[in-house]
Amino acid sequence: MNPNLDRLQPYPFQRLQALLADLQPVATPTPIALSIGEPRHPMPAFVQPVLEQALSGFNRYPTTRGGPVLREAIAHWLRLRFNLPGVDAERQVLPLNGTREGLFALAQAVVTSGPDAGVLMPNPFYQIYEGAALLAGAEPLFYNLEQAHRYQPQFEDLPAALWNRVQLLYICNPGNPAGAVMSEKQLSDLIERAERHDFVIAADECYSEIYPPDEAPPPGLLGAAARLGNTDFSRCVAFHSLSKRSNLPGLRSGFVAGDAGILERFALYRTYHGCTLPGPVQAVSAAAWADEMHVHENRWQYAAKFAAVLPLLEPVLEVARPDAGFYLWPRVPGGDDEAFARRLKQQVNVTVLPGRYLSRPTAGGDPGAGHVRMALVAEPDACVEAATRIRTLLEGG
């Protein structure tokens, strides 16, 4: 067996299940889960008719690179969304079975394993980044995202010796869990740093379409590259998904776009890896990338939930609306996130995720400890009810 499998840590939800395992289940009040970021809004109305029309596509093998209709729909969306002068649908776009599959597999394709190989990632982080690094034969390296810096990365504080080890850098923009958005200037500086130290930037941008509807959309890595004159997107790849944007987590559809040379080698890896999108899934995906109305409506639904929930929680928790995304990342009273999660489950039947399950201890501390992540993905009434229970509990009611 691959010895690196022994280095993988339990997934956050496995740890949460173990944390709560000894609690006696209760039927009332009704359980409400704020622990997992699975969108619960209705899927777009066009999905079913498009899927039904495309069902005959299940009798053909799909290609690794996906069909031209889907690739062009993605390229068109990228040009409009990030104001790009051009995107080559054939060479600079690669459909994926969701971003999770692609973010993991990329490291296997681009990292040269060895004792000095490093993959740099945010802390807290999406655990796929860490697993990808370990199974690629590299050491996970972390940059902490802390409240004192508004959960923004402080790349300039990292030593040159560390940068010289980095082969792949993961960024999550907007961030999970804190929802902070890096500016285009920060992205541009990072691209220039990648050129100096010769590493690849993988931008996980799967929350980029969930932002306050009356504010400017978050910038993207490819847009920053283009504005630098890097229209080949050298060393830059960006990942997007229909899971959050279009409430289609079960479709398992996303894409990676950017540096054509990286994508050519990545496509070779995926040819052997065997991940392809079936034709009917491609048809639904192309329709979703071509439609913005449902995405706009989705933003308003999340905005309404933040507007309803935050006034309930702000008097009892240190919490604020994120720049983007659908998570709240409050600090917990007393600082023990595991104890707080157990208390909420046991006394008011609300499930949240302890922040330390999304982070790792470092010399600079554990930036996830003392927080919990709350996903406002449930129906509005359920989110308000959960917030009301939490407030009542913390007020001693």
Side-chain angles (χ1 to χ4, degrees):
M1 298 293 289
N2 185 339
N4 287 324
L5 287 169
D6 295 330
R7 303 176 66 192
L8 298 179
Q9 299 203 32
Y11 213 60
F13 305 110
Q14 292 176 287
R15 297 178 67 183
L16 179 62
Q17 185 178 23
L19 176 72
L20 305 178
D22 66 325
L23 300 182
Q24 292 297 316
V26 294
T28 57
T30 304
I32 301 175
L34 303 181
S35 49
I36 186 168
E38 180 182 52
R40 300 294 178 82
H41 295 175
M43 67 182 184
F46 58 76
V47 170
Q48 183 171 338
V50 171
L51 183 60
E52 290 176 348
Q53 188 174 6
L55 282 177
S56 63
F58 279 125
N59 69 354
R60 292 185 295 274
Y61 282 120
T63 63
T64 300
R65 289 185 173 272
V69 173
L70 174 57
R71 290 199 309 272
E72 185 50 51
I74 292 169
H76 181 71
W77 180 80
L78 283 168
R79 293 182 201 113
L80 293 179
R81 170 63 175 83
F82 297 105
N83 190 25
L84 301 177
V87 177
D88 187 334
E90 176 65 27
R91 300 175 61 250
Q92 294 179 319
V93 172
L94 187 61
L96 301 170
N97 293 86
T99 52
R100 178 174 181 164
E101 174 262 316
L103 288 162
F104 174 84
L106 180 76
Q108 318 314 307
V110 305
V111 169
T112 301
S113 63
D116 292 327
V119 175
L120 186 60
M121 63 196 69
N123 190 27
F125 58 91
Y126 183 36
Q127 195 159 318
I128 295 302
Y129 311 154
E130 180 188 56
L134 291 171
L135 289 176
E139 180 185 356
L141 308 170
F142 301 105
Y143 57 93
N144 288 353
L145 303 176
E146 298 173 325
Q147 185 180 26
H149 299 293
R150 297 174 47 250
Y151 306 108
Q152 292 283 356
Q154 305 299 299
F155 290 123
E156 63 278 7
D157 293 341
L158 300 178
L162 181 145
W163 286 112
N164 290 334
R165 295 183 57 195
V166 173
Q167 297 185 28
L168 174 64
L169 164 66
Y170 287 108
I171 60 173
C172 188
N173 190 47
N176 170 14
V181 172
M182 294 174 62
S183 69
E184 188 162 294
K185 175 64 164 57
Q186 288 174 293
L187 294 171
S188 299
D189 291 346
L190 195 56
I191 294 169
E192 293 174 342
R193 188 182 296 273
E195 293 173 352
R196 293 196 302 272
H197 292 277
D198 190 22
F199 60 81
V200 174
I201 305 172
D204 180 352
E205 298 178 355
C206 72
Y207 297 94
S208 71
E209 305 313 290
I210 303 174
Y211 56 88
D214 54 350
E215 296 183 10
L221 181 68
L222 302 188
R227 252 77 77 192
L228 281 175
N230 180 5
T231 54
D232 291 334
F233 311 126
S234 176
R235 298 184 178 84
C236 299
V237 290
F239 291 79
H240 288 265
S241 168
L242 293 175
S243 295
K244 275 71 174 179
R245 174 189 182 270
S246 299
N247 303 312
L248 291 170
L251 193 69
R252 308 314 304 139
S253 178
F255 70 82
V256 59
D259 186 318
I262 293 173
L263 295 192
E264 180 181 13
R265 303 296 288 170
F266 190 30
L268 173 63
Y269 172 87
R270 295 184 78 254
T271 298
Y272 285 83
H273 188 49
C275 286
T276 57
L277 285 182
V281 173
Q282 291 191 43
V284 173
S285 302
W289 290 116
D291 183 83
E292 287 296 319
M293 183 60 68
H294 74 282
V295 187
H296 183 71
E297 293 171 355
N298 203 33
R299 289 187 201 110
W300 279 108
Q301 290 184 65
Y302 283 117
K305 286 193 280 191
F306 280 119
V309 166
L310 281 170
L312 293 169
L313 294 179
E314 287 170 335
V316 293
L317 283 174
E318 189 177 344
V319 64
R321 192 186 79 173
D323 295 337
F326 50 54
Y327 297 116
L328 292 175
W329 184 237
R331 297 194 68 85
V332 302
D336 189 334
D337 46 309
E338 288 184 316
F340 184 76
R342 282 177 58 86
R343 184 183 177 197
L344 290 188
K345 181 61 179 175
Q346 189 166 39
Q347 298 188 33
V348 296
N349 219 0
V350 173
T351 308
V352 298
L353 188 67
R356 72 183 64 196
Y357 294 177
L358 298 166
S359 61
R360 297 289 179 262
T362 68
D366 186 338
H371 292 265
V372 293
R373 193 184 75 175
M374 301 177 177
L376 298 189
V377 293
E379 294 77 5
D381 289 349
C383 290
V384 170
E385 171 63 18
T388 301
R389 293 182 199 176
I390 293 170
R391 177 167 176 170
T392 300
L393 176 65
L394 293 179
E395 287 179 337

